[in-house]
Amino acid sequence: MDANLTGNLSPDDPELSPVTRAMVALRGQVLDAWMAEVRRAVPQAKELSLPILANTLPAYFDTLAALLTPQHPARIVSDLGTVASEHGGERARLTLYDATAVIHEMQIFRDVLFRELERHGVVLEGEQRAMLSSYIDATIRESANAFTVVQAALREQFVAAMAHDLRTPLSTAQMAAEMIAHTSGDANVRRYVEKIVASTQRIDGMTRELLDRIAFSKTGPVRLTIQEVDLVTLAREVAQAAEVAHAVELSVEAGQVRGWWCAEALRRAIENLVNNAIKYGAPDAPVRITVSTTQERVQVLVHNRGAPIAPEDSEGIFQLYRRAGNQGLGEGWGVGLPYVRRIAEAHGGSVMMSSSEDDGTVFVIDLPMDARPFAGAPTAA
């Protein structure tokens, strides 16, 4: 059921319950109705382009629907939290939303979902409706929390940039004051200059301390060279190169998926995911790469079998120089997954992860089809 993370569950999948299949069949109508209502009711959403407004909602919708299938995989619940968090993070990085707008649009989603299901004759039992309402409420909190966390990270980056830029005019002012002290014979002037120099030195010391406290200032901006790319060809090249070391299966929904991205950055991001899948996955099971599309967005999914990533490690693996602790690795230097997240976010997208003993581990890079308007977008990773 990995397709839930890409928003590509099939209404014909026999493993899904009838109510899940009925709900998935209405995905397009529900999301269109939701977007129309959000544009009307949320001022910050009026001018958003379709891929940014749609965001991770196809995956969110499908994961909610999967909850209505009895004996659904246990990971589905954590998947829902992951998708909701990425939704909030994207809103912080790519829109003018505030936390109230994030909460409001998710409340609209809940109302529109039940209205459209009823309008199309999809009958929910009382327990099913209560369960969906409960999970939507929980994920509203997760989206709002992620929005707040990412917004705080972006504020730190802004402060770091300002502190860094302040040091140049401070240095110039200090040098100019010292020149005045050397060339002036007026004792009062020299006394005032000493105060200026002492003050600029204090400010410089405070800015250096501030920079030392903000780790984000050391990562630097993501520089992308955007061009038209066939993502299927790129994924096939990565798969063929990796097949030297391990079996890799490529699944695509079309012969080509053309869009505007940074080819080299995406190649490296996919290579990182595939190499991790080979390194930490089961040696006798192939790694699977899937390329799919939703509303003006594209998804690259990389799946492997093997020991799962523990829930407590699910966010830590995206932090610079950390690795998951449940795979016998301990702490170590690692930049692969943080790099993947930064590249996805710099394209105006997200990266999501799901892992369980039964289903293996899945990473999904979810991007707008045309990243040109979002190139170099703020990244929290």
Side-chain angles (χ1 to χ4, degrees):
M1 204 185 286
D2 295 339
N4 68 286
L5 273 185
T6 63
N8 281 281
L9 282 184
S10 170
D12 301 319
D13 187 343
E15 295 185 1
L16 302 176
S17 69
V19 68
T20 295
R21 293 200 299 270
M23 186 169 163
V24 170
L26 293 174
R27 182 196 304 117
Q29 292 95 314
V30 172
L31 293 182
D32 286 346
W34 172 75
M35 287 189 286
E37 182 67 16
V38 168
R39 287 195 191 280
R40 186 192 66 78
V42 180
Q44 299 94 323
K46 292 186 188 302
E47 303 302 325
L48 288 183
S49 62
L50 176 59
I52 297 305
L53 181 61
N55 193 298
T56 59
L57 262 292
Y60 180 77
F61 180 94
D62 279 11
T63 306
L64 271 177
L67 291 169
L68 298 178
T69 293
Q71 290 81 49
H72 59 260
R75 67 170 178 80
I76 289 295
V77 174
S78 61
D79 285 357
L80 192 63
T82 296
V83 177
S85 293
E86 290 302 320
H87 171 81
E90 279 203 23
R91 288 298 191 244
R93 291 183 290 104
L94 298 170
T95 73
L96 298 177
Y97 274 44
D98 53 24
T100 300
V102 174
I103 294 169
H104 189 192
E105 70 171 7
M106 295 299 287
Q107 291 171 331
I108 292 172
F109 176 85
R110 178 183 55 206
D111 296 341
V112 168
L113 172 64
F114 291 136
R115 184 188 71 206
E116 291 299 309
L117 292 180
E118 182 177 352
R119 190 165 73 89
H120 288 86
V122 178
V123 179
L124 297 178
E125 297 178 1
E127 289 185 0
Q128 292 173 324
R129 186 184 182 95
M131 180 180 65
L132 289 183
S133 291
S134 175
Y135 278 116
I136 291 172
D137 285 343
T139 52
I140 287 175
R141 292 191 294 271
E142 295 205 33
S143 286
N145 182 61
F147 176 90
T148 302
V149 169
V150 171
Q151 198 172 59
L154 296 177
R155 282 197 298 268
E156 285 188 337
Q157 293 183 44
F158 175 76
V159 171
M162 287 293 294
H164 182 273
D165 292 344
L166 276 173
R167 297 191 68 193
T168 298
L170 276 173
S171 177
T172 302
Q174 183 175 327
M175 287 189 295
E178 290 171 346
M179 288 295 295
I180 292 172
H182 288 307
T183 58
S184 176
D186 189 318
N188 286 330
V189 170
R190 287 199 299 271
R191 188 168 63 253
Y192 292 138
V193 165
E194 287 173 0
K195 292 182 179 181
I196 294 172
V197 171
S199 295
T200 56
Q201 288 175 338
R202 283 186 60 206
I203 296 172
D204 184 61
M206 288 187 288
T207 56
R208 280 189 284 109
E209 182 180 354
L210 182 61
L211 286 171
D212 288 341
R213 289 175 178 270
I214 301 176
F216 285 112
S217 66
K218 297 180 176 66
T219 59
V222 178
R223 302 188 184 280
L224 302 177
T225 302
I226 302 293
Q227 58 189 354
E228 190 173 16
V229 179
D230 175 19
L231 199 51
V232 171
T233 297
L234 192 152
R236 182 174 290 113
E237 290 171 353
V238 172
Q240 290 171 346
E243 280 179 332
V244 175
H246 193 92
V248 178
E249 297 176 353
L250 176 65
S251 175
V252 297
E253 67 177 21
Q256 288 186 329
V257 177
R258 302 195 69 83
W260 293 86
W261 308 289
C262 179
E264 287 309 307
L266 273 188
R267 182 192 305 277
R268 184 177 166 194
I270 298 170
E271 285 174 344
N272 272 307
L273 293 182
V274 172
N275 290 339
N276 277 352
I278 293 172
K279 185 174 183 179
Y280 303 127
D284 57 346
V287 169
R288 179 164 53 89
I289 306 173
T290 303
V291 180
S292 59
T293 60
T294 53
Q295 293 178 315
E296 294 191 23
R297 292 177 76 103
V298 64
Q299 298 80 36
V300 181
L301 179 150
V302 177
H303 171 269
N304 68 271
R305 294 286 179 180
I309 297 171
E312 60 268 22
D313 287 323
S314 61
E315 188 60 29
I317 59 174
F318 289 107
Q319 295 173 8
L320 202 60
Y321 308 131
R322 289 203 47 198
R323 287 179 179 158
N326 68 317
Q327 300 185 33
L329 298 172
E331 293 297 325
W333 298 96
V335 297
L337 290 178
Y339 176 82
V340 173
R341 168 162 278 184
R342 293 194 80 210
I343 292 305
E345 292 180 351
H347 279 85
S350 297
V351 60
M352 295 172 282
M353 186 278 293
S354 174
S355 188
S356 71
E357 189 75 44
D358 293 334
D359 298 316
T361 298
V362 170
F363 286 88
V364 177
I365 300 174
D366 189 337
L367 309 172
M369 291 291 288
D370 186 351
R372 286 176 293 183
F374 321 109
T379 68

